[in-house]
Amino acid sequence: MTEKMKNSITFGAGRLTIEDVVAISQGANATMNQSAEFNQKIDRGVAFLERLLKDEGVIYGVTTGYGDSCTVAIPPNLVDELPLHLTRFHGCGLGEVLSHEQSRAVLATRLCSLSQGVSGVTHDLLNQITTLINKDISPRIPQEGSVGASGDLTPLSYLAATLIGERDVFYKGELRPTSDVFKELGIKPIKLKPKEGLALMNGTSVMTALACLAYSRAEYLTQLCTKITAMVSVGIHGNDFHFDEALFAVKPHPGQQQVAAWLRDDLKAERPPRNSDRLQDRYSLRCAPHVIGVVQDSLPWLRQMIENELNSANDNPIIDGDNERVLHGGHFYGGHIAMAMDTLKTGIANLADLLDRQMAQLMDYKFNNGLPFNLTGAEGDRKPINHGFKAVQIGISAWTAEALKHTMPASVFSRSTECHNQDKVSMGTIAARDCLRVLELTEQVAAASLLAGTQAIEIRKRHNELDEHHMSDNLKMIRDAVLSEFQFVDEDRPLEKDLRHFIERIQQRHWPLY
């Protein structure tokens, strides 16, 4: 198997995973299922629609207007122009644009939905999306303008416009007119068939793409917060037996038990506990498995929600070519993604809050078991003018507060819109965007906490207060990896560049954790 084939995801051949979408977002290629069975399923849906049109059948969004305009009949001579108008009047997105990675994920999620074979789209359309992926052309998609039902109409209009050679794309790091890039690469714009504009835009693919990326970041961040907790416990001389296996056997949440097991392994907790003035650590250490475990226990449920949406046909109407039926419904409603993202952002914000409390302990000489105030590494006469991580801890508090502020559930803010046709909407895309912001803020907290935890351990080591046997090989590897890129803070210096560097490392999932 060639390297290119190893990095290729096949659409239309079976269920895709969150990891498949992440792989596409990071540069993997796409291929379409080439089986006769798949090709015939696509062809049957297209042929059925064509016969209906010849018979002048009434098809929503094909021979009628859209949404509340469904009672408006479209004259036969204008049917072919209708999808073009749909893409154009929805070209009103605002706000920041999706990143190149996020836009590629949108291409993957929409292609997965249309590849279910019940949207009435042609092979030409499917292949055009595949071409965008494989040529690394990503539509410029503004983030704002979707209420999450009828799906992500406005943001997905930018994908639809790209397929027909309109608007702008990112190519080789530059924002350029789609028509110029297509001409340069010899890509022919497609002409949308009567149902294809609606099939492209009437779905949940932007929110689902963002949810896949959010899930992947959350999964890693959950493990990293566990690793940082272990570092803080080492640095503060915590009581490792708060994570005892017998203790957690009596509260059998599997994710919580997993986090406790990770902490036991990192802290070599089979050894006798070290001397401490406190029989019980404060909650941010003692209850860390209970806080992190909530997220860990939520991940399987969240994966099911996200992957079911990913592998669904979520436009309207559904075209049942096999039984020659047009099925009108509301599969564009993004309620499952809205619920998943509102849930996940709350769990992740709690991780930020946990680390914030741990850092408050670690910096405060009244609570950190003999570490210097604010973890300054300065000694002797230089110590009074050095302030170590004092301002970083203030930053941690600010980022945490902002993360917590974003946990207001978006899904409860449904609005009646589009002449009261869309009178109950999901707000799934806003929930996903909120979740990504909470993740970003929590990654900032985690980067700062990782550096602080490493500083604390290094201070203990320099004062001969560290038992290296009390740390797992992986924990020591993380500590050493951080120190290879981060200079111990013995004199005050600006730490912004260090923080930005380690945020990037976290977002790259740079270190193997568990």
Side-chain angles (χ1 to χ4, degrees), residues 124-263:
D124 287 344
L125 185 148
L126 298 175
N127 291 334
Q128 188 83 326
I129 300 177
T130 303
T131 296
L132 292 181
I133 293 172
N134 294 343
K135 296 291 186 182
D136 203 21
I137 303 168
S138 62
R140 175 189 171 276
I141 304 175
Q143 294 185 13
E144 298 173 9
S146 172
V147 295
S150 295
D152 291 313
L153 289 167
T154 289
L156 285 175
S157 77
Y158 289 79
L159 165 56
T162 298
L163 300 183
I164 61 177
E166 296 188 358
R167 299 187 205 170
D168 301 313
V169 294
F170 290 101
Y171 180 61
K172 294 187 175 180
E174 295 183 357
L175 181 64
R176 298 176 56 189
T178 306
S179 56
D180 291 353
V181 174
F182 277 18
K183 184 176 180 181
E184 180 181 313
L185 299 178
I187 300 172
K188 183 179 179 181
I190 65 171
K191 179 179 172 60
L192 296 177
K193 299 288 187 181
K195 168 67 167 58
E196 290 184 331
L198 194 59
L200 281 165
M201 294 167 49
N202 196 206
T204 61
S205 295
V206 174
M207 67 180 81
T208 303
L210 299 182
C212 288
L213 299 180
Y215 180 97
S216 182
R217 288 166 69 175
E219 189 174 44
Y220 186 82
L221 192 54
T222 300
Q223 296 180 15
L224 180 62
C225 288
T226 307
K227 190 69 65 175
I228 291 169
T229 296
M231 299 177 83
V232 172
S233 184
V234 170
I236 213 167
H237 284 171
N239 185 342
D240 305 338
F241 276 75
H242 289 321
F243 315 123
D244 183 78
E245 184 173 8
L247 174 64
F248 279 88
V250 301
K251 192 170 186 183
H253 296 293
Q256 178 178 274
Q257 290 177 325
Q258 177 65 78
V259 172
W262 284 336
L263 287 168

